[in-house]
Amino acid sequence: MKKRLKSWMNRFRNIRPGPLLSQLIITMIYPVAKAAASESKRLLIFTDSLTIIAAALLIAGIVYSLVLHGDYDIAAFILRRSQKNEKQSFDAYLEDRKREREDAFNYPLFLAMLYFIIALILAYTVL
């Protein structure tokens, strides 16, 4: 149990404030603009827009999670090898990709969960 908790905490250690803040600002533009443009029920419209953005981020986060786990490594290796005519072995390519992914964090999935929680809390306050 301790090992699993430590693994989760290590994942959050990779969060960097710069990328998180920029993605937070970019993804909040649509819900805030929709709520500001509406004439009535602004909180409801903000919650609905936030849910739409969260669903899109969830899909992107799932795909990015597959990339981070290496599910597309063979396809990327074949594509890179055919385009650049490199003679790098697949094992060496996997090691390079593993080192690149060590510090990666799945911001879309994190923001999707955060937005779903916020939308759920706001939906209960609207009722």
Side-chain angles (χ1 to χ4, degrees), residues 5-56:
L5 181 63
K6 195 172 188 179
S7 172
W8 276 98
M9 294 307 289
N10 284 339
R11 290 182 188 178
F12 288 109
R13 179 184 51 132
N14 293 338
I15 295 177
R16 291 185 174 55
L20 180 64
L21 187 62
S22 66
Q23 290 186 19
L24 188 69
I25 291 170
I26 290 170
T27 55
M28 288 299 287
I29 290 173
Y30 177 71
V32 170
K34 274 297 260 193
S38 68
E39 294 182 13
S40 64
K41 297 184 180 180
R42 290 181 181 199
L43 189 58
L44 181 64
I45 291 172
F46 177 76
T47 305
D48 291 345
S49 302
L50 194 63
T51 304
I52 292 168
I53 294 296

Side-chain angles (χ1 to χ4, degrees), residues 32-107:
V32 170
K34 274 297 260 193
S38 68
E39 294 182 13
S40 64
K41 297 184 180 180
R42 290 181 181 199
L43 189 58
L44 181 64
I45 291 172
F46 177 76
T47 305
D48 291 345
S49 302
L50 194 63
T51 304
I52 292 168
I53 294 296
L57 285 172
L58 180 66
I59 293 168
I62 290 171
V63 171
Y64 189 57
S65 179
L66 293 174
V67 169
L68 288 178
H69 286 105
D71 291 342
Y72 298 117
D73 281 348
I74 187 72
F77 174 73
I78 292 170
L79 186 65
R80 175 182 274 181
R81 193 169 185 177
S82 67
Q83 288 180 349
K84 294 186 178 182
N85 293 328
E86 292 181 6
K87 299 299 178 196
Q88 183 182 26
S89 71
F90 183 63
D91 293 331
Y93 176 78
L94 280 180
E95 287 300 317
D96 290 343
R97 293 293 299 156
K98 188 176 181 180
R99 268 186 263 118
E100 289 174 12
R101 286 192 285 255
E102 284 178 356
D103 294 332
F105 184 75
N106 197 342
Y107 293 104

